[in-house]
Amino acid sequence: MKYDNGQITPLTEAVSSTCYRTGCTISIDFIGNRLTAHVSTKTPRPADSTLPHEVSLFADVTPNNFGGIHIQHTGSSGGESTTMLHYLKAEWK
C-alpha cells in the first residue's frame, strides 16, 4: 500500500496465499523504481488448499530518502494464527 497524506493506494492487487505459514521467508529487493517481494515457506501446503504456496509481487514506486521498514499483519486471530518474527535483517545502502 502507498500511504500519502491520509490517502491509501494499493500497489498491487490483493493476493491470498498459504506461503505466510510457519517458516516463511520474505525477501524484498528495490532496484531503481521497482519493488519486488518474494514469499515462500518450507511448511507443506495444506492438502485442502488451492491457493498458491509461493508468491512474487512487483510494483513500481517512487523512491524517497526516508528509509525504514514496516510490517503489518491484519489477517488472523487466535492462538493458532499468531505472527512471530524469528529473524529480520534490513539493510539500507
Side-chain angles (χ1 to χ4, degrees):
M1 295 297 253
K2 175 183 178 182
Y3 299 91
D4 185 19
N5 294 319
Q7 298 296 313
I8 301 169
T9 307
L11 295 176
T12 68
E13 291 192 28
V15 176
S16 294
S17 173
T18 59
C19 64
Y20 300 99
R21 298 168 56 88
T22 301
C24 110
T25 299
I26 303 171
S27 60
I28 299 172
D29 292 308
F30 190 69
I31 300 172
N33 292 351
R34 181 68 129 182
L35 178 73
T36 302
H38 181 79
V39 187
S40 62
T41 183
K42 294 178 182 176
T43 300
R45 177 199 317 247
D48 61 344
S49 177
T50 59
L51 295 174
H53 198 55
E54 187 172 333
V55 296
S56 290
L57 304 172
F58 307 93
D60 290 321
V61 297
T62 303
N64 63 50
N65 294 322
F66 304 126
I69 185 171
H70 174 85
I71 297 172
Q72 179 176 349
H73 183 272
T74 61
S76 63
S77 63
E80 294 182 16
S81 298
T82 58
T83 300
M84 180 183 294
L85 296 177
H86 292 274
Y87 177 80
L88 173 68
K89 178 180 178 182
E91 191 172 0
W92 189 263
K93 296 181 180 182

